[in-house]
Amino acid sequence: MEVKKQSLADQAYEKIKNNILTLTYAPGMTLTEAMLTSELGMSRNPVRAAIRMLQTEGLIVSNYYKSMTVKDITDKDIYEIYQLRELLEGEAFQLIFKSGRAQEYSYRIEEKVVRMNAVADDIYEWELADTKMHMEIVSIFDNDRINRIYETNLSELIRMGLYSVRNGMHIPSTNANLKLLIEHMRNNDYKRAYEILQKDHFETGRDNALKK
Amino acid sequence: MEVKKQSLADQAYEKIKNNILTLTYAPGMTLTEAMLTSELGMSRNPVRAAIRMLQTEGLIVSNYYKSMTVKDITDKDIYEIYQLRELLEGEAFQLIFKSGRAQEYSYRIEEKVVRMNAVADDIYEWELADTKMHMEIVSIFDNDRINRIYETNLSELIRMGLYSVRNGMHIPSTNANLKLLIEHMRNNDYKRAYEILQKDHFETGRDNALKK
DNA sequence: TATTGAATTTTTGTATACATTTTCTCTTGT
DNA sequence: ACAAGAGAAAATGTATACAAAAATTCAATA
């Protein structure tokens, strides 16, 4: 694979973001430039660039001359993100069936589910794979902006998902239900397929996340 | 109004963004740090911070050690943004009627339309007001993330709108149709109200934007 | 002991210097 | 005239120095 040369700022961005996603930098935690620069082994400028990016994405919160913190996850955040997902994925799912591509997408989704099964023992990797699966559904729109919404909110989704799993979301049974989802898609059974997505994923996910 | 102290970076961000939105910095135009710093009268660091933010928002495109340009608007961009708007505003509009708040929203929208009429001779201001009107519709979700989607894409919407108007979108007739929209909302006539939104706004807007 | 407040330290914001890469220019050779 | 390439100029990336604001410390006082 081609190794694309990237700036220190981009490296910093990836590392900090990863630490936020894996809860290494916990929600609400205070970050300082000094700490980040020493951890990353680079000067302040690239680190500050990374911070600006994460700020724009909403993962870091800060004010003029005030300390910065990792964005906390509130109940409202959880409701909002699930509402947005239901809205987009609901329409996407409809479109998949309406355009007669349910079979095709059943295979595409299956690929992602295979990945989910393979990493079922690593919560973070499983959540990442799960989100990728949902992004596959939304890919029917062929709309980069919608994809970007997912990428931007991916961070929140993953952090939330980690909460969900911690609070009882059962990975094996979720994976089992996804097998059913794929079945229904193969049979072109929109109603049952969507019911699984809706109930098993959105409702259970949200409710577990809300327990925090 | 309280004047919140803001950093040079924030000031730079606002000014550069404004120049992009008003097409002062035209789509595709190459920007250099030297030019921006001399125009803004500040050192490179705050300017670079602003650039990072605009990059994250997608308004500026750049690569490692390569020059940066103002994001161009392609036909695909136009299709994508209108698809996203139809999706979100379509659902929002339904929700407004379903929750029996059509009257209430007719007044809220009317306020925005008044503003549109007041600035009908300034294309940029009119576009801005128009977008605010659409954001009012979507406000039914009470979802900050959805609002943020609009804010992030607002830039594109405005730049596109400027194209639309240039290419024949007729401001007075649009304003007239909005009066009708409000009427239908008062009468709780979902079908006719949505038809205006759909046809007059999305289709005409998109088609005119596509002419470029 | 609790509290106030000045001095110190820490932290973020800004400017500048230096490094690396790219782009332009102009010469040289065919 | 044109292509190639060395060298200069310009642009972006990185590090450091300095400024301003905020947070902390700690002694003096009630």
Side-chain angles (χ1 to χ4, degrees):
Chain A
M1 190 148 84
E2 173 81 33
V3 185
K4 203 172 162 191
K5 214 168 192 178
Q6 64 175 6
S7 64
L8 291 180
D10 289 332
Q11 293 172 36
Y13 168 81
E14 280 185 16
K15 284 184 184 165
I16 297 171
K17 186 165 181 174
N18 192 262
N19 280 336
I20 293 176
L21 292 187
T22 56
L23 307 186
T24 307
Y25 298 160
M29 175 175 171
T30 297
L31 303 175
T32 68
E33 291 179 6
M35 160 212 166
L36 294 174
T37 51
S38 81
E39 267 187 33
L40 295 166
M42 56 181 74
S43 74
R44 284 177 67 208
N45 269 347
V47 171
R48 283 171 66 85
I51 290 168
R52 278 290 179 186
M53 292 190 267
L54 292 164
Q55 238 177 281
T56 307
E57 281 185 18
L59 269 183
I60 288 180
V61 186
S62 80
N63 286 95
Y64 197 54
Y65 272 117
K66 295 264 162 65
S67 73
M68 60 187 160
T69 57
V70 177
K71 168 83 174 65
D72 218 337
I73 301 177
T74 66
D75 284 358
K76 185 146 197 295
D77 288 323
I78 294 172
Y79 276 113
E80 284 186 10
I81 289 193
Y82 275 97
Q83 180 182 40
L84 182 58
R85 289 179 70 180
E86 265 192 72
L87 217 148
L88 294 176
E89 291 177 38
E91 288 279 335
F93 214 66
Q94 244 179 290
L95 188 56
I96 286 173
F97 281 80
K98 209 189 292 176
S99 57
R101 296 171 71 183
Q103 265 82 23
E104 177 198 336
Y105 270 83
S106 78
Y107 289 106
R108 297 171 63 159
I109 290 173
E110 191 169 36
E111 272 181 46
K112 304 293 173 188
V113 174
V114 167
R115 168 80 187 158
M116 287 171 75
N117 276 307
V119 297
D121 55 339
D122 181 336
I123 309 181
Y124 171 71
E125 286 296 331
W126 185 80
E127 268 303 326
L128 191 62
D130 180 63
T131 308
K132 292 262 171 71
M133 190 267 285
H134 286 277
M135 286 173 83
E136 196 68 34
I137 292 173
V138 161
S139 77
I140 183 82
F141 288 126
D142 185 30
N143 187 317
D144 285 338
R145 270 161 187 82
I146 292 178
N147 297 339
R148 213 135 80 82
I149 290 171
Y150 268 76
E151 273 156 31
T152 308
N153 289 295
L154 188 65
S155 330
E156 238 73 46
L157 286 171
I158 289 174
R159 292 200 295 167
M160 238 169 251
L162 295 185
Y163 278 151
S164 289
V165 173
R166 272 201 206 150
N167 288 306
M169 184 182 242
H170 199 225
I171 290 184
S173 71
T174 303
N175 285 358
N177 277 325
L178 284 172
K179 264 192 128 52
L180 265 175
L181 174 84
I182 291 165
E183 284 288 321
H184 293 316
M185 289 183 80
R186 295 255 160 85
N187 299 330
N188 218 49
D189 188 339
Y190 169 73
K191 204 158 161 286
R192 274 181 224 196
Y194 189 63
E195 199 180 302
I196 290 181
L197 194 71
Q198 165 81 18
K199 202 166 153 196
D200 195 58
H201 260 238
F202 295 138
E203 286 176 20
T204 312
R206 186 193 56 214
D207 293 345
N208 279 313
L210 280 170
K211 285 186 207 161
K212 245 190 288 202
Chain B
M1 190 147 89
E2 173 82 31
V3 186
K4 202 173 162 191
K5 213 168 191 180
Q6 63 175 7
S7 63
L8 291 181
D10 289 333
Q11 293 173 36
Y13 168 81
E14 279 184 17
K15 284 184 184 165
I16 296 171
K17 186 166 182 174
N18 193 265
N19 280 336
I20 293 176
L21 291 185
T22 56
L23 307 185
T24 306
Y25 297 159
M29 176 174 171
T30 297
L31 302 175
T32 68
E33 289 178 7
M35 159 210 167
L36 294 174
T37 51
S38 80
E39 266 186 35
L40 296 165
M42 57 181 73
S43 74
R44 284 177 66 209
N45 270 346
V47 172
R48 283 171 65 85
I51 291 168
R52 278 289 179 186
M53 292 191 266
L54 292 164
Q55 236 177 283
T56 308
E57 280 185 20
L59 269 183
I60 287 180
V61 185
S62 80
N63 285 93
Y64 197 54
Y65 272 119
K66 296 264 163 66
S67 73
M68 61 186 160
T69 58
V70 177
K71 168 82 173 67
D72 218 337
I73 300 176
T74 66
D75 283 359
K76 185 144 196 293
D77 288 323
I78 294 172
Y79 275 112
E80 284 186 9
I81 289 194
Y82 275 97
Q83 181 184 39
L84 183 58
R85 291 179 68 180
E86 265 192 72
L87 217 148
L88 294 176
E89 291 177 37
E91 288 279 335
F93 214 66
Q94 244 179 290
L95 188 56
I96 286 173
F97 282 79
K98 209 190 292 177
S99 57
R101 297 171 71 182
Q103 266 83 22
E104 177 199 336
Y105 270 83
S106 78
Y107 289 106
R108 297 171 63 159
I109 290 172
E110 190 170 36
E111 271 181 48
K112 305 292 172 187
V113 174
V114 167
R115 168 80 187 158
M116 287 171 75
N117 276 306
V119 296
D121 54 340
D122 182 335
I123 308 180
Y124 171 71
E125 286 296 331
W126 185 79
E127 268 303 325
L128 192 62
D130 178 63
T131 308
K132 291 265 171 69
M133 191 267 285
H134 287 277
M135 286 174 82
E136 196 67 34
I137 292 173
V138 161
S139 77
I140 183 80
F141 288 125
D142 185 30
N143 186 317
D144 286 338
R145 271 160 187 84
I146 292 178
N147 297 339
R148 213 136 78 83
I149 291 171
Y150 267 77
E151 273 155 31
T152 309
N153 289 293
L154 188 66
S155 328
E156 240 70 47
L157 286 171
I158 289 174
R159 292 200 294 167
M160 239 169 247
L162 295 184
Y163 278 151
S164 288
V165 174
R166 271 201 207 149
N167 288 305
M169 183 182 243
H170 199 224
I171 290 184
S173 71
T174 302
N175 285 358
N177 276 325
L178 284 172
K179 262 194 128 50
L180 265 175
L181 175 83
I182 291 165
E183 283 288 321
H184 293 316
M185 289 184 80
R186 296 257 160 85
N187 298 330
N188 218 48
D189 188 340
Y190 169 74
K191 204 157 161 286
R192 273 181 223 194
Y194 190 63
E195 197 180 304
I196 291 179
L197 193 71
Q198 165 82 17
K199 201 166 154 196
D200 195 58
H201 261 237
F202 296 138
E203 287 176 20
T204 313
R206 186 192 57 213
D207 293 344
N208 279 312
L210 281 170
K211 286 186 205 160
K212 247 192 292 203

